[in-house]
Amino acid sequence: MTGLTLSHISKQYKDSDRPAVRDISLDVGCDEFLVLLGPSGCGKTTLLRIISGLVRPSEGQVYIDGQDVTALEPQQRGIGMVFQNYALYPHMSIRKNLTFALEVAHMKRKERTQAVEKVSGILDIGRHLGKKPHMLSGGERQRVAMGRAMAGECKLYLFDEPLSNLDDGLRTRLRPEILSLFHRLHVPFVYVTHDQVDAMTMATRVAVMKNGTIEQLGTPQQIYDQPASLFVASFVGSPKINLIPAAVQVRQGRAVLDCGAFQLDLPQYQAALLPRDGQQVIAGIRPEDLLVSRTGRDLQPIRCVLDRYENLGGRLLLVGDFHGHALRVMAPLSVRAKVGESLELFLDKSKVHLFDAESQARL
Ligand code: ADP
Ligand code: MG
């Protein structure tokens, strides 16, 4: 296939007691924007640097456009890279920053000029070409860093948290710019971030990483609607998913969940629960699946006591106390609820996620 293929990649750093990346295999097609998403230390940068050639894997192969590049140097791989710290050369003009690597690669002057025209048009940095990096804002500098990566003809682009050092407004503005670059270039993008908003807004597929492995690989929608594990369910989604422990009870051929204060009968999970009489599971309930008023769906009433609320702009986040568990609920601003008073909620039962308490895998 064309694009990027990783085959059984592992990395053990010499001075580390556990592998940073463990047996990762992955295909990224030419029209794919793959986001590697996970908490700090899970191995995202290591994996990206292995793809770039800056780090050698302990095991496994990297293929770009079907060619085994595992033994090649970074500059022989035809990739463009953008890092968190947009390391521009401070003493060079923006134009020189854009063309320097092209000169080193012996690109002809005319072609270099065309390449600069192309990327400065796309990224809207044409008026800065004569300036030095210190004269530009953080966002402009990050655009130049992207432009530098885009100026060559690359088979693959790698990004390592390029927006992490920027303020919220800039991140929101740059995300669509990165996406429009992706749509023009028709080569794979691999983008590392710990920010779920980056992942959910830009990715065609997301690989959620934990402890050096891929916990789940899927579209943003799949990751959100069908989280494969407790970890994925808790990492993706803001405000965070509610997790409520429950015991499976099978009576007369019917399985119900004993959640302490109420019993939950979930038709969609009958087959998974019947062989688990007495076992512990964890029910995951997203804050938007707890409703403050009854609508026509399959609802389970739940009572809690309102602890506090936060105005999130267009909506309210209510935090209730449910028998010692904090329960987060998204509600419209029009809701009138008083702290300390009882609050009746309606759980959309079709949206409950169940996980095995021991293995933490989705049932
Ligand atoms: P992430 O980018 O997801 O934060 P990294 O790939 O940077 O994760 O790190 C993964 C693990 O490998 C961490 O435990 C980190 O401490 C370790 N690590 C990263 N780089 C090195 C290195 N050069 N030498 C030893 N250990 C490293
Ligand atoms: Mg990193």
Side-chain angles (χ1 to χ4, degrees):
M1 71 167 266
T2 57
L4 168 72
T5 298
L6 302 180
S7 174
H8 300 289
I9 294 287
S10 296
K11 178 63 186 181
Q12 172 76 56
Y13 289 109
K14 258 193 243 107
D15 44 359
S16 175
D17 53 350
R18 60 184 182 84
V21 168
R22 282 185 289 154
D23 196 22
I24 288 187
S25 295
L26 192 62
D27 284 317
V28 190
C30 276
D31 280 317
E32 280 211 85
F33 192 129
L34 179 79
V35 170
L36 304 176
L37 174 70
S40 175
C42 70
K44 306 179 297 293
T45 292
T46 299
L47 190 58
L48 201 74
R49 291 170 77 86
I50 287 172
I51 298 169
S52 74
L54 291 168
V55 166
R56 282 283 142 88
S58 310
E59 282 169 60
Q61 280 78 41
V62 179
Y63 299 87
I64 296 175
D65 276 351
Q67 185 198 358
D68 185 344
V69 299
T70 318
L72 297 188
E73 295 299 320
Q75 59 274 20
Q76 298 173 299
R77 296 188 181 199
I79 48 181
M81 285 185 271
V82 184
F83 298 107
Q84 179 175 356
N85 301 311
Y86 32 78
L88 301 181
Y89 302 109
H91 56 286
M92 292 182 190
S93 69
I94 298 305
R95 179 186 299 279
K96 189 80 176 173
N97 263 282
L98 290 172
T99 56
F100 183 67
L102 307 178
E103 280 174 48
V104 173
H106 305 294
M107 189 190 270
K108 295 208 178 68
R109 177 186 288 270
K110 194 168 160 230
E111 288 169 32
R112 292 202 305 264
T113 308
Q114 284 169 348
V116 168
E117 264 167 33
K118 188 185 85 181
V119 297
S120 55
I122 294 174
L123 290 162
D124 191 22
I125 49 178
R127 64 191 180 284
H128 302 307
L129 290 175
K131 298 180 188 168
K132 293 273 171 68
H134 72 90
M135 298 162 80
L136 270 52
S137 71
E140 287 162 349
R141 270 181 261 171
Q142 189 57 298
R143 275 205 292 252
V144 174
M146 277 197 264
R148 190 172 53 178
M150 307 291 162
E153 292 279 306
C154 297
K155 297 179 198 154
L156 173 65
Y157 287 100
L158 306 176
F159 297 82
D160 195 351
E161 313 234 16
L163 305 182
S164 289
N165 289 348
L166 307 175
D167 66 46
D168 263 0
L170 256 179
R171 295 155 72 110
T172 312
R173 286 220 304 281
L174 282 175
R175 280 191 198 107
E177 292 189 14
I178 295 175
L179 260 186
S180 81
L181 280 175
F182 166 68
H183 290 303
R184 283 163 202 251
L185 293 171
H186 299 289
V187 295
F189 276 35
V190 182
Y191 185 106
V192 160
T193 183
H194 66 274
D195 181 354
Q196 54 167 315
V197 181
D198 283 353
M200 298 316 260
T201 53
M202 295 191 290
T204 55
R205 278 199 303 168
V206 182
V208 184
M209 290 183 64
K210 179 191 175 191
N211 293 340
T213 60
I214 293 178
E215 184 97 349
Q216 185 172 5
L217 178 64
T219 63
Q221 193 83 45
Q222 286 166 342
I223 300 281
Y224 192 79
D225 290 343
Q226 306 260 305
S229 67
L230 261 183
F231 174 79
V232 176
S234 319
F235 196 78
V236 177
S238 177
K240 253 192 190 352
I241 195 168
N242 298 292
L243 299 176
I244 297 177
V248 182
Q249 283 184 353
V250 179
R251 301 280 178 274
Q252 284 139 16
R254 186 99 195 138
V256 293
L257 292 179
D258 180 2
C259 302
F262 67 97
Q263 289 206 327
L264 201 52
D265 180 350
L266 300 175
Q268 74 270 33
Y269 277 108
Q270 277 301 313
L273 292 179
L274 278 174
R276 294 172 179 259
D277 190 19
Q279 289 182 20
Q280 290 291 318
V281 297
I282 295 179
I285 300 170
R286 296 225 182 261
E288 64 270 28
D289 297 327
L290 283 163
L291 312 171
V292 288
S293 58
R294 207 184 268 282
T295 60
R297 279 172 285 176
D298 192 10
L299 301 174
Q300 165 91 32
I302 293 177
R303 282 207 164 273
C304 67
V305 175
L306 184 63
D307 252 354
R308 61 190 167 86
Y309 56 86
E310 284 168 38
N311 191 331
L312 298 184
R315 306 230 275 161
L316 278 184
L317 170 65
L318 309 178
V319 184
D321 177 85
F322 174 74
H323 301 272
H325 295 287
L327 210 53
R328 291 171 292 278
V329 182
M330 291 305 289
L333 286 178
S334 56
V335 161
R336 292 286 159 255
K338 281 208 179 110
V339 169
E341 287 188 357
S342 168
L343 182 67
E344 184 167 44
L345 302 170
F346 302 93
L347 165 64
D348 182 347
K349 294 204 294 182
S350 68
K351 301 281 181 61
V352 175
H353 308 268
L354 287 187
F355 304 94
D356 185 303
E358 206 173 294
S359 72
Q360 312 217 325
R362 184 187 188 84
L363 296 189

